Amino acid sequence: MKITELENGLKLEDVKDFDAGHIFECGQCFRWAKEEDGSYTGIAFGKVLNVRSDYEKGIVILDNTNLKDFQEIWFDYFDFGRDYGAIKKELAKDPVLDMAIKHGKGIRILKQEPWELLISYIISANNSIPMISRSVGLLSEMYGRKVQYKGRVYYAFPTPSELQEAGMEELSLCRAGFRCKYIYQAVRMVNMGDIRLEEISSMDIHKAREELMKIPGVGPKVADCIMLFSMQKYEAYPVDVWVKRVTEYFFLGRDVKMKEIRDFAAEKFGDLAGFAQEYLFYYARLQKINPDKSIQHNFLLI
């Protein structure tokens, strides 16, 4: 990868397997918005960044950053050190994954901040992506630090200490509904040391899932999302309605429980289960796969 410093950013060339739309629209993050010019602007680790990409030319433009931040934050955040070509080659041995990968070939799994992911995915339970983004944004606006970029104000995600004094009445203003009580409890558990996310990150997937599920509002799916998108546990296979549909239809042929889907993914995809999940999730939403089997049978031909 060739890196050229620009006036307020970086130009990356010879970048493989990177499509900003695929990355930010595949359901793994909630704080990136598409601009009129097709680029994406978001905030992570307290930094605002604008991203433009050309998949075919292998070019990525990062605006509002520098080489130091790229090396310390964005290189890992975008998982630039991983060979996604090798991952896709392995997964594409399965015809279903081969089909899904063609639709989301530029997906990369972001390495996000565990605390932000914990709260964001508590908010995600039985919720839509626009509503999740709204609540995370409101919570950040109320308690996070202001960051300006091109005349607009963005807000860093609040730390546990910044949320420590927030009561239920204040938290209700982020419009997360019944999930606000879980946010309240999670803040206190982390601030009191009952939950130590850094320690959980170092555990094996089974122990980490068990520890995360001690937090009210964190079930198996939320725990798996936190582990996959912030703790680099790539064998995790989060199962939501889309992943359930696509796994049952293309692989299992029947309605099954969530655990059976996870067990199937662990056996079939192993350490690459999380990558398979993202390709399948993106494909299922893109094609609006319906549980009506009479509708679904055509998808193999797309």
Side-chain angles (χ1 to χ4, degrees):
M1 180 168 54
K2 178 183 177 182
I3 304 175
T4 303
E5 295 187 73
L6 306 176
E7 182 178 349
N8 189 43
L10 302 171
K11 180 180 181 180
L12 314 181
E13 299 177 85
D14 302 321
V15 179
K16 297 180 180 179
D17 311 303
F18 189 109
D19 185 294
H22 294 171
I23 291 168
F24 299 128
E25 302 283 357
C26 71
Q28 63 179 316
C29 54
F30 308 110
R31 305 208 67 200
W32 291 85
K34 190 174 184 178
E35 306 288 359
E36 291 183 0
D37 65 359
S39 67
Y40 287 80
T41 303
I43 183 167
F45 293 94
K47 304 279 187 176
V48 177
L49 187 72
N50 176 267
V51 182
R52 284 184 287 141
S53 69
D54 186 319
Y55 183 91
E56 299 305 326
K57 293 182 178 179
I59 295 174
V60 178
I61 305 295
L62 305 179
D63 190 56
N64 199 40
T65 191
N66 53 52
L67 190 57
K68 181 176 182 291
D69 280 352
F70 176 75
Q71 293 170 339
E72 295 181 355
I73 300 172
W74 305 120
F75 183 85
D76 283 341
Y77 183 78
F78 288 112
D79 206 16
F80 279 121
R82 192 176 307 278
D83 185 351
Y84 277 76
I87 291 171
K88 290 189 289 186
K89 183 178 180 180
E90 179 64 27
L91 290 175
K93 293 176 181 177
D94 180 278
V96 175
L97 263 297
D98 182 49
M99 171 183 58
I101 288 168
K102 288 174 181 176
H103 287 78
K105 58 185 179 292
I107 289 175
R108 286 175 169 268
I109 295 182
L110 301 174
K111 293 185 180 181
Q112 301 176 73
E113 202 281 315
W115 164 248
E116 180 174 346
L117 264 285
L118 169 61
I119 301 302
S120 297
Y121 275 95
I122 284 176
I123 292 172
S124 78
N126 299 311
N127 210 351
S128 67
I129 289 178
M131 295 300 101
I132 301 164
S133 297
R134 181 193 65 177
S135 292
V136 173
L138 287 171
L139 194 64
S140 301
E141 186 175 339
M142 289 188 293
Y143 295 100
R145 175 175 54 87
K146 289 184 180 181
V147 185
Q148 291 194 343
Y149 171 64
K150 290 189 174 180
R152 294 172 58 184
V153 177
Y154 296 81
Y155 296 88
F157 191 80
T159 64
S161 60
E162 287 172 330
L163 284 171
Q164 189 168 8
E165 302 304 319
M168 281 298 301
E169 185 175 348
E170 292 86 357
L171 288 174
S172 69
L173 297 177
C174 78
R175 302 171 71 180
F178 68 89
R179 306 164 194 86
C180 290
K181 65 177 179 290
Y182 301 141
I183 298 172
Y184 180 85
Q185 292 168 309
V187 169
R188 271 135 195 84
M189 291 179 76
V190 170
N191 277 318
M192 293 176 65
D194 295 331
I195 291 294
R196 300 180 184 275
L197 294 173
E198 288 187 4
E199 292 181 5
I200 293 175
S201 295
S202 66
M203 298 174 181
D204 67 62
I205 187 171
H206 304 293
K207 182 61 176 176
R209 184 185 292 119
E210 180 182 314
E211 288 299 306
L212 286 169
M213 287 175 60
K214 292 178 181 179
I215 305 169
V218 177
K221 180 257 183 180
V222 168
D224 283 3
C225 285
I226 296 166
M227 292 191 296
L228 177 58
F229 303 134
S230 72
M231 296 181 175
Q232 293 80 64
K233 299 192 184 303
Y234 298 112
E235 67 270 41
Y237 191 83
V239 182
D240 72 344
V241 63
W242 294 104
V243 174
K244 186 175 190 294
R245 288 173 183 174
V246 75
T247 307
E248 288 173 346
Y249 179 68
F250 286 123
F251 297 107
L252 301 176
R254 65 190 190 283
D255 185 21
V256 300
K257 295 181 179 180
M258 298 294 188
K259 185 181 183 303
E260 187 171 343
I261 293 176
R262 286 207 313 270
D263 292 344
F264 161 81
E267 181 177 350
K268 183 169 182 63
F269 304 121
D271 291 343
L272 299 181
F275 300 99
Q277 189 268 2
E278 280 301 276
Y279 293 122
L280 290 169
F281 175 86
Y282 185 79
Y283 176 72
R285 290 180 66 232
L286 189 70
Q287 300 297 336
K288 297 181 173 60
I289 289 181
N290 192 290
D292 182 348
K293 301 301 188 292
S294 65
I295 296 174
Q296 287 185 29
H297 76 280
N298 290 319
F299 284 113
L300 280 169
L301 304 178
I302 294 174

